[in-house]
Amino acid sequence: MTTSIEITKASLRDRVVVDLEVWMDDPEDYDFSPRARMNKGQLHIQNEGQDDVFSTFELEEEMQIIAERDRLIEVRIKFSVHGMHGTLTDKTPLPRTGPKAKKLAEPRWKTLLPLEISS
């Protein structure tokens, strides 16, 4: 189950590109279907079926024009799982016996989302 969605950055290339950070409860959870909606210059992204988990971002005027023209946005998503990703608190005392810091794999996803525009 998705616990939080955060829009970290929105930029303009050929189309509007939005970077998301999505936190999940379980690494075996594959239930994520993002939906995008724009209302009065604000971009809302939420998981389908979860009305309480969403993120909102204020788009610049130029981004609004491009998004309305294309009726889609490009989304780059970084998934993290509670309990697996976060800050490493215990370092290995002898670097020869193990790494000082170990990063877990962070799955990333890139897709195009249709944009629902409401007024």
Side-chain angles (χ1 to χ4, degrees), residues 10-17 60 62-64 66-67 70:
S11 58
L12 188 60
R13 298 211 172 121
D14 292 337
R15 61 177 67 98
V16 177
V17 179
E60 298 171 4
E62 189 177 354
M63 287 183 188
Q64 291 176 30
I66 300 296
D70 294 343

Side-chain angles (χ1 to χ4, degrees), residues 15-72:
R15 61 177 67 98
V16 177
V17 179
V18 178
D19 291 346
L20 295 178
E21 188 167 327
V22 176
W23 283 89
M24 308 294 270
D25 275 336
D26 183 22
E28 297 297 320
D29 187 8
Y30 305 108
D31 184 26
F32 183 65
S33 299
R35 300 292 182 251
R37 181 173 40 95
M38 191 170 77
N39 186 8
K40 297 180 183 174
Q42 285 198 338
L43 178 67
H44 302 276
I45 296 183
Q46 70 181 41
N47 190 17
E48 182 181 37
Q50 285 185 293
D51 295 333
D52 58 337
V53 179
F54 65 91
S55 185
T56 305
F57 190 83
E58 185 74 35
L59 292 177
E60 298 171 4
E61 188 175 337
E62 189 177 354
M63 287 183 188
Q64 291 176 30
I65 293 167
I66 300 296
E68 287 176 4
R69 179 195 72 191
D70 294 343
R71 300 255 176 197
L72 61 86

